[in-house]
Amino acid sequence: WGGDIRTGMEDERDEEGAEFIQEDEAILVPTDEPIVADDDMEADEVGEDEGEGDNITEQADDIPVETAAIRFIEHTDAVYTVSCHPVHADVVLTGGGDDTAYIWSVSSGAVLHKLTGHTDSVNSVGFSHDGVYAATGGLDGVIGIWNAHSGAQVCRLEGPSGGVEWVRWHSKAHFIAAGDADGSVWLWNPPQSATCMGVFSGHAGRVNCGEFVNDGKLICSGGEDGTVRLWSPRTGACVHNFQGLHTDAVLCLEYLEANTVVLTGSGDCSAALINIETKKELSRLKGHTAPVECVGFCPGLPLAVTASLDGKINVWDLNSTQIRNSCQHDDGITKLRWFPNQPLFATCSVDRTVRVWDCRTGTSVAQFTGHRDSVLDLSITCDSRAIVSVSDDQSAAVYRLP
């Protein structure tokens, strides 16, 4: 992998210089009286001191065990988003609240490229299907397109006025779609042109999620208004508006190509299955007590997963649309990712852990710790040998799989 390589684990930064009293500056106070404890000391003052000691012990006990092989600490604010390279297992892309993205090495933590130019948080990143380009979407309404090998900026896509909520590459071509906080979906064809190909308007409020579907011939989006819409990239028309699916914001969606089925998750604590060909709702999946933050389909098996801020993961049998099994984090779940061609998926949580589950049994097959704050996103390397997670603690972690 080319480019300038700078270490991702910098030498320890010098602590701020401390001031000390020099020996010749000390003032000796003569006294003939022995130093004794003050008889008037209040008992509760002693208790306060003891309590402080207990707090220190509790804080030390709260530090999680580090199980990461690499901890990347170049970001200076919360790290919101991560994407592993689709071809090179050693390359990963992260973006954060420091308005910066990094392309770095999974094996060493070394910085390959620092991507700058955003003026607000980078909250969505991704590589093109062939790994040639990297995209960074920011709350400044800008999408940067970068040469993933050299780190050079290829073009700058502008237009969204409310901030970029998500970016998605086409699965077979260099088209990219993005959702805007102002209720619109945008489409470009970089690097051939930085000119927007189309703006699809119709959502009333923020567009929270979106995907290319139907072999890339349509775009499916979910909005704060509770609707799911299908768009034609060629005409810009709204092909269909699924209304009445949810009574709250659509937070996530996933597409199952083989069955032309979309699974959505919502702030109303439910999920819904819809068929984009027949334009019909197939089933409503209810089993959570908090917003459904992430959903997914199992590769090769008729199973789907919903994960919620209630900390619960439900595995659904798609044939019966009944819960097959459930598993639990200690706090809300923020992201879910499937291992390619395996009945395994990984989740990350507000409980600061990353876990791997077998959807057939609902059992946890691995658990990783080390983050000191909520884990916000994760991605799996293309060789399925490592998970990269990012956190509010300003770091990214590489967890090796057994």
Side-chain angles (χ1 to χ4, degrees), residues 242-245 272-275 278-284:
F242 292 91
Q243 294 179 310
L245 290 176
L273 281 166
I274 55 177
N275 189 304
T278 63
K279 313 295 190 299
K280 293 182 178 180
E281 179 183 347
L282 301 177
S283 184
R284 192 73 57 88

Side-chain angles (χ1 to χ4, degrees), residues 30-50:
T31 178
D32 295 329
E33 299 295 329
I35 299 175
V36 296
D38 188 350
D39 291 337
D40 296 331
M41 179 182 290
E42 296 292 337
D44 60 353
E45 290 181 6
V46 177
E48 287 177 6
D49 290 341
E50 290 175 352

Side-chain angles (χ1 to χ4, degrees), residues 254-264 271-275 281-286 295-306 314-325 338 359-360:
E254 190 76 17
Y255 177 59
L256 181 61
E257 184 76 48
N259 298 80
T260 64
V261 171
V262 169
L263 176 60
T264 62
L273 281 166
I274 55 177
N275 189 304
E281 179 183 347
L282 301 177
S283 184
R284 192 73 57 88
L285 309 179
K286 297 182 178 180
V295 296
F297 293 103
C298 175
L301 291 175
L303 300 173
V305 170
T306 58
N314 287 328
V315 179
W316 302 82
D317 186 317
L318 291 177
N319 293 323
S320 65
T321 63
Q322 298 298 310
I323 295 176
R324 175 166 173 163
N325 54 64
W338 285 94
C359 70
R360 297 166 299 184

Side-chain angles (χ1 to χ4, degrees), residues 82-85 88-94 102-106 112 127 379 381 388 398:
V82 57
S83 179
C84 288
H85 197 280
H88 300 287
D90 190 43
V91 178
V92 66
L93 170 63
T94 55
Y102 289 91
I103 297 176
W104 51 279
S105 167
V106 172
L112 302 175
F127 289 102
S379 186
T381 57
V388 183
V398 177

